[in-house]
Every structure is written in C-alpha cells, then in structure tokens.
Amino acid sequence: MLALLLLGPAVCVPATQLVGQPAPDFALRSWDGANMRLSEHSGEVVLINFWATWCGPCRQEMPLLDEIYGKYRRAGLVLFSVNLDEQSNLEAAREMAKTLRVSYPVLFDARKEVSRAYQASSMPLTVLIDREGVVRYVSEGFKVGYETRYTEKLRELLNE
Amino acid sequence: MLRQSLLKITVTLLPLLFAAGPAAARDDATAPSETAVQLADSSAPAPSPPQGENFKSLDEEVQALKKEVLDLNRELFVLEEELLFPANTQVAVFVSMDVGEFFALDSVTLKLDNKEVANYLYTEREAQALLRGGVHRVFIGNLKAGEHELIALFTGQGPNQRDYRRGATLKLEKGVGAKYVELKISDKAVKAQPEFVVKEWE
C-alpha cells in the first residue's frame, strides 16, 4: 500500500505537465506504409491526437479534427493521428479511420512507446506543438465545443 | 543530465549577455563626462570617443562571449559522451547504404546478447540521406569485455516491391578500447538481391 502511495504520483504524471516542455520525438509507421518522424516537421505547427477504436469520444472527435485539418493544412498545420490499439486490432483501427473518412495521416503505436512518452492515460488526448517543437497545449478527453478551443489555440500558434 | 544542465546554463547566460550589452553601453556613455570633469583643469579638453565606436566594441565583446559559450558547449558535449560511454566499454553501431536499388530500408532492430537495444524506423528522407552517403549511428552503449552476440534485423522492400526481412549476426569480441560496427546494405547485382554486411572497425 505504502509502495503504491509512493509510486502513484511518479507513475500517474498527467499529460498536461508536458506543456512548456520540448515535445518528445518519435517515428511511427503510417497506414499507407510510410514512416513519419515528428522532428522532420520542425518549423510547422503540429497537432497530435491519440485515439483507439474502443474510445467513443474519439469517434466523435475525429471528423471534427479532419475539418480543422482541411481548413488549416495550407497554413502549415501538420496533424498526426496516433492509434493505440494492440497489434492484433490494427485492421479494425484502419477500418474505423476509413469509415470516418479522415484525410490526415494515421500512425500506429502498437509498442505504446509514444503514448508512454506523452503520458496518454486518457483517451482521446490532443497535443499542440509550436514551430519551435515545444508542447503548448494539452487536452484530455473530448466534449462538444473542445474543437473550438483547438481552433483558437491553433490560430494563435500559426500566427506566431 | 549534464547536457540538460549545460543547456540551462547557456539559456541563462545568453539573455544576461544581451542584457549586459545596453547596461555596459550606459556605463560607457557616462564615462566621457567624468573624464571631462577630471580634465577640466587642463586648457584643451580631450574629445570624447564617438558613441558608435563604443557600441561596436561592445558588440564585438558580446559576440566573443557568445562564441566562448558555444565552444564551452561543444567541449562539454564531448566530455559528456566520454563520461557516459567511456572508450573502454563503448560500442557503437552504424548503418550505411550503398546503391540501394534492390532494397528500400524501412527499419533496423538491434539485439545485443538477445536483448533488444535499438529499434529505428527510417523515414523516406532518412533513407535518402543514407543513399547519398550518410551514415547513421543507430546505437551507442556500453559493453563489458568478452564475447557478445549482435543480431541486426533489417526490414524493408526488396526486389519487385516485396516485403523483405533479413537478419545478420555477428560474434563480437569486446576487448579494451571502443568497438565500432558498421551494418552495410549493398546491392548484389549478380543475384539481383540486397546484401547485408556486418563489418567491425577497430
């Protein structure tokens, strides 16, 4: 019990603590087979969205993110959608992204290394990274209206 | 850790340098008037130096200080690497490519004594850099003297766009001094197949 109490705060570090820190770099395979590395997009505003097939709010959020992506990609927005399903469930994840008709790159983190680095303990998790590669905004979960917050923050970062 | 603290020092120092610039400029700006008071007794007052020159010399000083900080940063980086990976136990693995007509590299997984030590995914840009002669250090670590086994697993696309997975094993004899291993991917034109060569550098 004591060990749990002592270890608890160290293990359950909230993702919001990443704000102001350099974004952990990663490389992941995308659904079209190409590998993508975060650091290759230095100088651009990056939005990372962590999701899984078992997450209901993710299903609600993804089409809205796609709208945002469609609107701001020309202004320099890069969006990585990181799926956290198990290796055995990747086909279902692919199918879900296809059904939702998302146009942004979907990456697979079956080894869970990236989700650990971003402390993704709740789904969905949305992270905004500025042109300098610093985490500027983290949002856990999704409720209707959150997309407006993302847009506001994005516009700020794109204008910097 | 050392690097992080160094970065903190650099980040703290640089604004100080910039702040010191105008402050020192103000000090220098007041200096000629004091000189003028001291020299008031003499019949011919000395002309004060033009302010532009003061700024120029200060700018040069700031630039010199900045250069010193950068040099220090570089020295500490080398020191950090020497401390973390002493030459006696150091082992480094590099990946290089030659031609690459029969193989498009996707990832390299390294196992040392059956323990995965590196798994690197190459983006298209990185693979292109390797084809242009770049060498990538995929792993650096410490290994005690003795015999070790290094397994390298390459994945990618082989001839006719087929998924390709190939392993290469090397028995490493780690003695005194750093050990460098090169994993070279080249084309075997006769067989129209890629070739994976593991080469040791002393």
Side-chain angles (χ1 to χ4, degrees):
Chain A
M1 188 64 179
L2 183 68
L4 271 176
L5 283 171
L6 288 171
L7 283 172
V11 177
C12 307
V13 183
T16 43
Q17 284 199 358
L18 281 173
V19 175
Q21 306 281 329
D25 190 26
F26 61 82
L28 288 174
R29 185 159 294 132
S30 69
W31 67 350
D32 64 357
N35 296 329
M36 300 210 166
R37 185 173 293 280
L38 175 67
S39 55
E40 285 186 0
H41 295 276
S42 168
E44 292 166 302
V45 174
V46 182
L47 187 151
I48 307 174
N49 178 247
F50 292 89
W51 65 282
T53 47
W54 43 262
C55 156
C58 302
R59 194 177 283 271
Q60 208 181 347
E61 185 188 38
M62 283 166 77
L64 298 169
L65 285 177
D66 196 49
E67 263 179 45
I68 294 175
Y69 180 61
K71 199 170 170 187
Y72 293 100
R73 65 192 291 188
R74 277 191 216 155
L77 170 69
V78 174
L79 200 153
F80 289 142
S81 171
V82 180
N83 174 263
L84 301 184
D85 278 83
E86 297 298 324
Q87 189 78 38
S88 55
N89 207 32
L90 291 190
E91 207 44 56
R94 213 180 288 260
E95 200 55 46
M96 179 169 150
K98 218 175 182 180
T99 313
L100 295 172
R101 292 185 186 170
V102 294
S103 56
Y104 47 73
V106 177
L107 315 177
F108 297 109
D109 181 29
R111 291 165 73 105
K112 309 281 182 290
E113 282 169 355
V114 181
S115 60
R116 263 198 295 273
Y118 282 85
Q119 295 144 19
S121 52
S122 56
M123 290 285 112
L125 177 76
T126 304
V127 179
L128 269 173
I129 299 164
D130 69 12
R131 294 183 198 274
E132 305 287 322
V134 175
V135 175
R136 294 286 292 274
Y137 177 72
V138 172
S139 167
E140 289 174 310
F142 177 76
K143 280 181 193 162
V144 178
Y146 276 24
E147 72 278 10
T148 322
R149 284 194 216 169
Y150 303 159
T151 312
E152 278 169 17
K153 295 283 172 189
L154 261 179
R155 289 175 69 100
E156 265 175 43
L157 297 186
L158 287 167
N159 282 330
E160 276 180 5
Chain B
M1 189 78 112
L2 188 63
R3 189 162 169 72
Q4 276 178 348
S5 56
L6 172 72
L7 275 172
K8 272 182 197 164
I9 294 167
T10 316
V11 167
T12 329
L13 266 179
L14 281 177
L16 281 175
L17 289 178
F18 284 112
R26 279 195 301 275
D27 289 348
D28 277 26
T30 55
S33 59
E34 284 165 17
T35 323
V37 172
Q38 280 167 4
L39 295 174
D41 293 338
S42 68
S43 52
S48 61
Q51 219 162 14
E53 269 179 38
N54 280 341
F55 276 118
K56 202 178 165 188
S57 65
L58 270 169
D59 190 44
E60 278 165 7
E61 272 179 46
V62 170
Q63 288 301 329
L65 274 168
K66 270 202 258 182
K67 195 181 168 298
E68 271 180 45
V69 170
L70 289 174
D71 286 346
L72 193 68
N73 193 355
R74 197 180 314 126
E75 277 171 31
L76 275 168
F77 179 80
V78 174
L79 190 69
E80 180 196 4
E81 228 176 35
E82 278 173 9
L83 280 171
L84 290 177
F85 310 108
N88 280 350
T89 56
Q90 192 188 93
V91 61
V93 182
F94 300 88
V95 174
S96 70
M97 271 186 105
D98 191 15
V99 191
E101 244 173 70
F102 302 123
F103 188 69
L105 182 63
D106 179 72
S107 74
V108 171
T109 306
L110 282 184
K111 283 182 182 179
L112 252 174
D113 298 326
N114 229 10
K115 188 184 166 203
E116 189 178 303
V117 289
N119 177 54
Y120 198 90
L121 284 180
Y122 289 86
T123 62
E124 202 185 329
R125 212 186 280 183
E126 287 169 321
Q128 285 299 321
L130 286 176
L131 285 173
R132 289 198 193 106
V135 177
H136 173 233
R137 189 177 72 186
V138 70
F139 171 71
I140 184 162
N142 298 306
L143 211 57
K144 61 181 178 186
E147 200 176 89
H148 300 274
E149 189 186 49
L150 174 77
I151 301 172
L153 291 166
F154 303 88
T155 60
Q157 280 197 329
N160 306 318
Q161 311 284 305
R162 282 187 183 167
D163 285 344
Y164 208 96
R165 191 177 162 88
R166 181 74 77 84
T169 311
L170 175 76
K171 289 272 180 215
L172 268 180
E173 188 59 49
K174 179 77 179 69
V176 180
K179 175 79 84 183
Y180 302 113
V181 179
E182 183 188 356
L183 307 171
K184 192 174 182 176
I185 305 160
S186 56
D187 286 345
K188 209 168 189 176
V190 187
K191 288 186 177 174
Q193 289 286 324
E195 190 180 28
F196 302 88
V197 184
V198 185
K199 202 171 167 184
E200 273 186 63
W201 296 91
E202 281 296 338

